[in-house]
Amino acid sequence: IEGTGIGLAITRRLTELIRLASEQAVMHGKEVGIEVAADGYRFLVLQNRRWQPVSDEPEFRARSLETPLELNIALDADAKELFGQALTRKREDEDEEPGNKGAQSTAATEDEEKVDAPRPQIFILSSGEISPFALGLGYEEGEQPRYWRIRASDDGQVRLDGPFEGS
């Protein structure tokens, strides 16, 4: 990785993708999640009470980060619980809809699916709300670490800060 160019470009792209996902969640009335790992991220959509990777929109494809780039996440624990409860209520409402056979799954099948199920840490709701988070993307350039931070507040505002230097 040469200079700050690639780190900044990746961070800007992720920031804009989060903003776009928020706009589309509102426009299309769907719940979106982001699953974050140290080496990449992927966007998910809630379909039939399950999180599924977005497959029909190439801009939201799963992305891997090249070494030495690394991604980390900090969540507001209270917000995560609140957004998780909101999604649980939405699932329960879907179960009560006439003709919904999704609630009739066997316990064994549900247990198997939970093991492999995607697990978003960030929730983007169709109401325009985003679970508060801070994502850090950084790398070490020589002896000087450099990183950027993407922050979101529950009112849907997404900001990019940085670059920052130091440990």
Side-chain angles (χ1 to χ4, degrees), residues 9-82:
I10 290 170
T11 308
R12 281 184 178 162
R13 177 180 57 208
L14 179 54
T15 302
E16 292 306 316
L17 285 171
I18 293 169
R19 289 177 180 152
L20 180 61
S22 179
E23 289 174 15
Q24 288 192 4
V26 171
M27 287 182 3
H28 300 294
K30 61 184 178 180
E31 314 308 330
V32 177
I34 305 172
E35 188 174 40
V36 178
D39 63 347
Y41 59 91
R42 67 179 174 169
F43 286 83
L44 308 166
V45 65
L46 189 61
Q47 295 177 335
N48 300 321
R49 301 181 50 224
R50 298 203 180 4
W51 289 105
Q52 303 292 325
V54 175
S55 60
D56 57 346
E57 300 175 55
E59 63 270 20
F60 294 117
R61 70 184 181 280
R63 298 181 195 264
S64 297
L65 301 176
E66 295 180 26
T67 304
L69 286 173
E70 186 172 296
L71 194 59
N72 59 59
I73 186 169
L75 301 171
D76 180 328
D78 293 336
K80 184 175 181 185
E81 181 178 333
L82 177 66

Side-chain angles (χ1 to χ4, degrees), residues 66-161:
E66 295 180 26
T67 304
L69 286 173
E70 186 172 296
L71 194 59
N72 59 59
I73 186 169
L75 301 171
D76 180 328
D78 293 336
K80 184 175 181 185
E81 181 178 333
L82 177 66
F83 280 80
Q85 290 171 357
L87 290 171
T88 299
R89 281 193 301 276
K90 181 175 174 121
R91 290 179 190 149
E92 290 169 354
D93 292 345
E94 289 172 353
D95 285 346
E96 293 173 8
E97 290 177 9
N100 186 354
K101 296 184 178 158
Q104 298 174 359
S105 301
T106 65
T109 302
E110 286 180 2
D111 288 343
E112 289 171 10
E113 290 174 355
K114 285 180 184 177
V115 171
D116 296 328
R119 300 182 189 276
Q121 297 100 325
I122 299 170
F123 301 99
I124 302 172
L125 303 183
S126 57
S127 63
E129 298 170 281
I130 299 177
S131 57
F133 69 86
L135 281 173
L137 182 122
Y139 66 94
E140 291 193 25
E141 182 178 26
E143 294 181 21
Q144 194 65 264
R146 186 164 298 223
Y147 63 97
W148 294 263
R149 183 176 53 223
I150 303 169
R151 294 182 296 152
S153 53
D154 58 0
D155 64 359
Q157 297 298 311
V158 179
R159 290 193 309 258
L160 170 60
D161 301 315

